[in-house]
Amino acid sequence: MSVNSKQPSTPRTATRALPLLLVIPACALIASIVLWLILSPLLPNQIARHVGPDGVGYSPTILVLAVLFGAAAVPFLIGVAQEQASSNSVAMGLLGFLLLFIAAAIAYSALLPRAEPEPAPC
């Protein structure tokens, strides 16, 4: 009878995934900040944040970007101990979150109308 059962993860197995779980979110956060620094002169002061029956709602660009930077920082705040979860479950959860976030950002930028400045009251 062969032993094909899955063995419990050892500390070595758990520590192999740790760099991946820290490096990828750190790269995403750093890339976001670098892109913002490069593209900030080209960004409008306000961008569309909501489209509904009442029309388009606008927010300051810096507020929307703060939410995006906060989402990129969330993986650092998860705080799951190595003994509580396997590296595969955490990695798959983060990958799913990342892919969903990318899809939502693409849909947001493709489907919403471009922001137009409102005329100033005289």
Side-chain angles (χ1 to χ4, degrees):
M1 183 159 114
S2 66
V3 178
N4 288 332
S5 65
K6 185 176 181 182
Q7 296 178 1
S9 67
T10 63
R12 182 173 180 241
T13 306
T15 57
R16 285 191 302 173
L18 190 59
L20 179 67
L21 296 175
L22 293 175
V23 170
I24 291 177
C27 288
L29 187 57
I30 291 168
S32 300
I33 293 170
V34 168
L35 281 174
W36 176 71
L37 289 173
I38 292 170
L39 298 175
S40 61
L42 302 174
L43 295 175
N45 289 334
Q46 294 200 354
I47 57 175
R49 64 163 165 78
H50 173 74
V51 175
D54 297 335
V56 180
Y58 296 95
S59 286
T61 302
I62 193 70
L63 176 64
V64 176
L65 291 175
V67 171
L68 294 175
F69 293 158
V74 165
F76 294 105
L77 304 175
I78 291 175
V80 175
Q82 291 181 4
E83 300 82 28
Q84 294 177 345
S86 71
S87 60
N88 287 338
S89 64
V90 174
M92 286 297 137
L94 289 175
L95 179 61
F97 173 77
L98 178 66
L99 294 176
L100 182 64
F101 186 77
I102 290 170
I106 291 170
Y108 182 83
S109 62
L111 298 175
L112 291 179
R114 297 278 180 210
E116 295 180 14
E118 296 180 5
C122 295

